Amino acid sequence: MGSRHGGRVHELLAALSDLDARYPNIAEINYQLAWTYEVLDRETEAVPLYEKAIALGLPENELCGALLGLGNTLRLIGKTARAVEVLRSASAQFPDNKELDAFLALALHAAGEPTEALRTLIDILCETSEDTGITAYQRALRHHASRL
């Protein structure tokens, strides 16, 4: 939604809250409302809305975003073990979506697992980089990451 990026977040929140009051069991409304609360740094209010949106059922592309949002929001409010669990599950469900692994690395670091976080980031780098230096040393990077 462009309003989140256009400085009209409070207007968007009011409109989504109004829609949610009229249609409380629409997954997409709950997802957009959660995302908007997160943008406003109101993470605690976002968590149950992400969870409800996921439980109600979202299209695959929105489900990936909702799981990422839920996992990251849990990390931000200090529920790091649950954040890691959500993001690992999401990564397994959407293995091609490397952004999930990047947020998983953040959650792992916050959960006191910096070595696993670094391994995860090196794996992402090796899998996604088109840099000739990274691709040339990919095998060595993976080897050293496995020995951290």
Side-chain angles (χ1 to χ4, degrees):
M1 297 199 138
S3 298
R4 272 191 287 274
H5 301 290
R8 298 178 28 214
V9 181
H10 293 286
E11 291 174 37
L12 178 61
L13 178 62
L16 287 168
S17 295
D18 192 43
L19 280 172
D20 186 50
R22 287 188 279 156
Y23 310 102
N25 293 315
I26 304 294
E28 290 85 353
I29 294 171
N30 282 271
Y31 171 43
Q32 294 298 326
L33 194 52
W35 188 0
T36 304
Y37 275 122
E38 187 179 356
V39 167
L40 291 169
D41 295 324
R42 294 169 62 179
E43 290 89 358
T44 304
E45 293 166 89
V47 169
L49 293 164
Y50 277 128
E51 292 172 331
K52 185 175 179 182
I54 292 163
L56 288 169
L58 288 164
E60 197 169 286
N61 63 322
E62 289 184 343
L63 176 59
C64 182
L67 290 168
L68 187 149
L70 175 60
N72 189 55
T73 301
L74 289 165
R75 177 186 66 86
L76 291 170
I77 63 173
K79 296 185 178 189
T80 56
R82 180 124 186 276
V84 168
E85 176 186 313
V86 167
L87 290 164
R88 274 198 174 125
S89 175
S91 182
Q93 190 172 351
F94 299 99
D96 294 333
N97 295 52
K98 295 304 170 192
E99 67 274 18
L100 292 166
D101 293 329
F103 280 90
L104 173 58
L106 291 170
L108 286 164
H109 187 272
E113 298 181 45
T115 302
E116 188 63 26
L118 182 56
R119 277 190 198 115
T120 300
L121 288 175
I122 290 173
D123 282 344
I124 295 167
L125 180 65
C126 289
E127 287 179 36
T128 62
S129 181
E130 294 179 15
D131 180 87
T132 56
I134 297 297
T135 56
Y137 286 97
Q138 184 182 112
R139 186 172 171 208
L141 283 166
R142 288 181 187 275
H143 171 72
H144 292 295
S146 73
R147 299 179 76 191
L148 290 174

